[in-house]
Amino acid sequence: MTAVHTPTAADSGASASANFRSTTRSSLDVSPERVSTVVTAVLQGVHEAIRVHDVTYPEFQAAKQWLMDLGEGGEWPLFLDVFVEHVVEEVAARTQDGTKGSILGPYYLPDQQRLPSVTTLPARPDEQGDALVFSGQVTDLDGKPLSGAELDIWHADSQGYYSGFAPDIPAGNLRGVVVTDSEGRFEITTVQPAPYQIPHEGPTGQMIDAAGWHPWRPAHLHLIVRAPGHRTITTQLYFAGGEYVDSDVAEAVKPELVLTPAEGRAVYHFVLEAT
Ligand code: DHB
Ligand code: FE
């Protein structure tokens, strides 16, 4: 038996920060007018909260301390993806047709193993959890099958932990890039993920506790679906009747993204918009 370590907020926070830095281009050409408009609006929101709620000096200093801790703990990606990303996605969705999008979250890792249309995700020999067979088809807006489309899929294990962000889980576990067949179809065998708890012993967890909120996201599958000539969709799928589907701390559930599994099988039809 290998020792089981409970992943800590510091582990997942630091790995999420390192992953963000290594995968995301950080320079963006933005005009001074745009910077001024958006930053002014953000600051006005903060100023208004202080005025409306009579925020005191001790509260201001506590907030400053907490923000310093958030940065030192590497938790900015966790915090922003849980509390802010859903609104950025909502704005992006205004111009998107077809399957609804959802947040990317901090745990995507590119360049996973390519897998055929009928496949089993890489898993440990003793991977825990109920079997889940997730199948469906990828088409365009007119229903034309998209052969060779990629479903880049990743999800938490039956304990709610992601490979690459928790000790003792092998690289690539419960991750893969599945390629659709000539009819745009796929069938992926994996295990049912568990609800995910925001790491709670770090600053993000302290804030959730201090506010009396709960730190849970419902169980979900993450997907990025791509096909040449079509707009890539980043989304998540949830499970009807699952815990926290109606109270996701990250507010990233949409009714169109809830699967209704029957006897361990769930079906979904992805629709991509041509570019
Ligand atoms: C976070 C984790 C997730 O699995 C997710 O989908 C969104 C956000 C987080 O810890 O920030
Ligand atoms: Fe997630």
Side-chain angles (χ1 to χ4, degrees), residues 43-64:
L43 291 173
Q44 278 172 349
V46 174
H47 300 161
E48 197 56 15
I50 294 168
R51 287 193 191 100
V52 169
H53 300 287
D54 297 319
V55 171
T56 63
Y57 260 98
E59 287 170 334
F60 172 59
Q61 305 297 20
K64 205 187 288 183

Side-chain angles (χ1 to χ4, degrees), residues 2-13 124 157 159-162 165-169 197-201 216:
T2 49
V4 177
H5 301 121
T6 305
T8 63
D11 285 335
S12 51
R124 291 161 282 190
D157 69 9
Q159 310 257 70
Y161 297 127
Y162 286 86
F165 299 91
D168 302 331
I169 305 181
Q197 185 174 19
I198 306 304
H200 50 281
E201 71 279 25
W216 292 93

Side-chain angles (χ1 to χ4, degrees), residues 103-160:
I103 64 176
L104 175 69
Y107 297 143
Y108 173 63
L109 294 172
D111 305 322
Q112 299 301 311
Q113 198 179 329
R114 273 179 90 78
L115 300 165
S117 60
V118 177
T119 192
T120 299
L121 290 189
R124 291 161 282 190
D126 59 347
E127 191 71 46
Q128 302 296 299
D130 295 335
L132 173 69
V133 180
F134 171 55
S135 62
Q137 193 183 22
V138 183
T139 69
D140 69 9
L141 288 177
D142 302 324
K144 186 167 86 54
L146 295 174
S147 162
E150 291 179 0
L151 285 98
D152 200 335
I153 181 168
W154 70 105
H155 66 83
D157 69 9
S158 66
Q159 310 257 70

Side-chain angles (χ1 to χ4, degrees), residues 99-100 237 254-259 268:
T99 297
K100 299 286 181 198
L237 296 173
K254 298 181 184 179
E256 299 88 346
L257 299 177
V258 180
L259 299 168
Y268 202 78

Side-chain angles (χ1 to χ4, degrees), residues 73-88:
E75 288 195 17
W76 275 109
L78 263 54
F79 176 81
L80 290 171
D81 293 353
V82 169
F83 293 106
V84 180
E85 188 185 351
H86 69 96
V87 186
V88 182

Side-chain angles (χ1 to χ4, degrees), residues 103 195-196 198 215-220 222 236 238 244 248-250 252:
I103 64 176
Y196 166 84
I198 306 304
W216 292 93
R217 299 211 58 224
H220 54 277
H222 287 270
Q236 300 189 20
Y238 306 90
Y244 312 110
D248 180 8
V249 66

